[in-house]
Amino acid sequence: AQSVTQLGSHVSVSEGALVLLRCNYSSSVPPYLFWYVQYPNQGLQLLLKYTTGATLVKGINGFEAEFKKSETSFHLTKPSAHMSDAAEYFCAVSDVGGGADGLTFGKGTHLIIQP
Amino acid sequence: DTAVSQTPKYLVTQMGNDKSIKCEQNLGHDTMYWYKQDSKKFLKIMFSYNNKELIINETVPNRFSPKSPDKAHLNLHINSLELGDSAVYFCASSSDVSGNTEAFFGQGTRLTVV
């Protein structure tokens, strides 16, 4: 069974600083990789995904992530944090061809932006 | 126009009751899901439904049953509610079962069992 590890249940950065949220997966075959964001009392919204091709993927709101197979990682970054980025961030994986099994999520990272 | 909509948004009920949560998607998607988010925000798949095929997470009690009257709807029925069922339940849909397509989530239903 797959698992997803997000290091740090809470990450605090200053406004304008670099955001780095870590995600590692454990799977014998590289899965499809996703980052979702959840704002308070709302559903999840896709930030970006990696399926095939270029390992650096760009998403919405200035976020990007890089798939590193050798490190089984898919860390999320944003060069300059904004107050509106405060939210819960989830890394998720899906087996290739396994969409019917749904997404396996990490435990989430709560991003706090300090003014 | 909301892509995936759930009703109700909040549901407070007593132990032992039976309740339902409705979900509708207007995206024309083939696959729908139910996820449970616990008090620690951990999300776990409960069911997926694709082309009349139901896949159940083995950890889900059989008090939970999804029902799909048509491709656009996947309702969640819960019998004999227990305190531990308190959580936020999310409905989601995706265009296919390839695994590489975006899942669209509803706003969630916060279920509180008292």
Side-chain angles (χ1 to χ4, degrees), chain A residues 2 14 18 36 44 54-55 61 68-69 72 77 88 98-99 114:
Chain A
Q2 300 188 40
S14 299
L18 171 71
Y36 282 84
L44 282 77
T55 56
N61 301 339
K68 292 187 177 180
K69 184 178 176 181
T72 61
T77 60
E88 194 82 21
Q114 306 278 6

Side-chain angles (χ1 to χ4, degrees), chain B residues 1-71:
Chain B
D1 199 16
T2 305
V4 181
S5 58
Q6 298 177 227
T7 54
K9 188 168 183 179
Y10 299 96
L11 182 55
V12 181
T13 188
Q14 291 188 325
M15 273 194 306
N17 283 352
D18 303 338
K19 289 292 178 186
S20 296
I21 305 172
K22 294 186 176 181
C23 177
E24 175 182 4
Q25 54 96 2
N26 63 6
L27 299 167
H29 285 170
D30 287 335
T31 308
M32 295 184 73
Y33 310 86
W34 278 103
Y35 288 84
K36 178 180 180 180
Q37 186 174 45
D38 64 22
S39 58
K40 296 184 179 180
K41 304 252 180 185
F42 183 55
L43 279 150
K44 194 167 185 180
I45 183 76
M46 299 177 71
F47 305 100
S48 70
Y49 197 86
N50 173 262
N51 196 26
K52 299 186 180 180
E53 180 185 2
L54 177 66
I55 297 176
I56 302 171
N57 184 307
E58 60 187 13
T59 65
V60 176
N62 57 15
R63 298 181 294 102
F64 290 79
S65 57
K67 290 192 170 45
S68 180
D70 54 58
K71 201 173 83 166

Side-chain angles (χ1 to χ4, degrees), chain A residues 19-114:
Chain A
V19 175
L20 171 61
L21 305 182
R22 298 177 187 273
C23 173
N24 289 86
Y25 67 90
S26 89
S27 173
S28 56
V29 176
Y32 298 130
L33 297 152
F34 305 81
W35 276 99
Y36 282 84
V37 61
Q38 184 179 26
Y39 297 103
N41 298 314
Q42 293 194 25
L44 282 77
Q45 180 184 8
L46 181 70
L47 276 177
L48 47 78
K49 67 177 182 180
Y50 172 78
T51 55
T52 59
T55 56
L56 180 63
V57 293
K58 295 186 185 298
I60 62 171
N61 301 339
F63 284 93
E64 62 182 37
E66 186 171 12
F67 168 57
K68 292 187 177 180
K69 184 178 176 181
S70 61
E71 298 177 8
T72 61
S73 69
F74 190 56
H75 302 331
L76 181 71
T77 60
K78 181 174 179 177
S80 177
H82 191 273
M83 294 299 290
S84 61
D85 295 327
E88 194 82 21
Y89 291 79
F90 293 94
C91 182
V93 302
S94 175
D95 277 336
V96 173
D101 295 331
L103 294 163
T104 299
F105 284 91
K107 293 190 174 183
T109 298
H110 185 65
L111 179 62
I112 301 161
I113 310 296
Q114 306 278 6

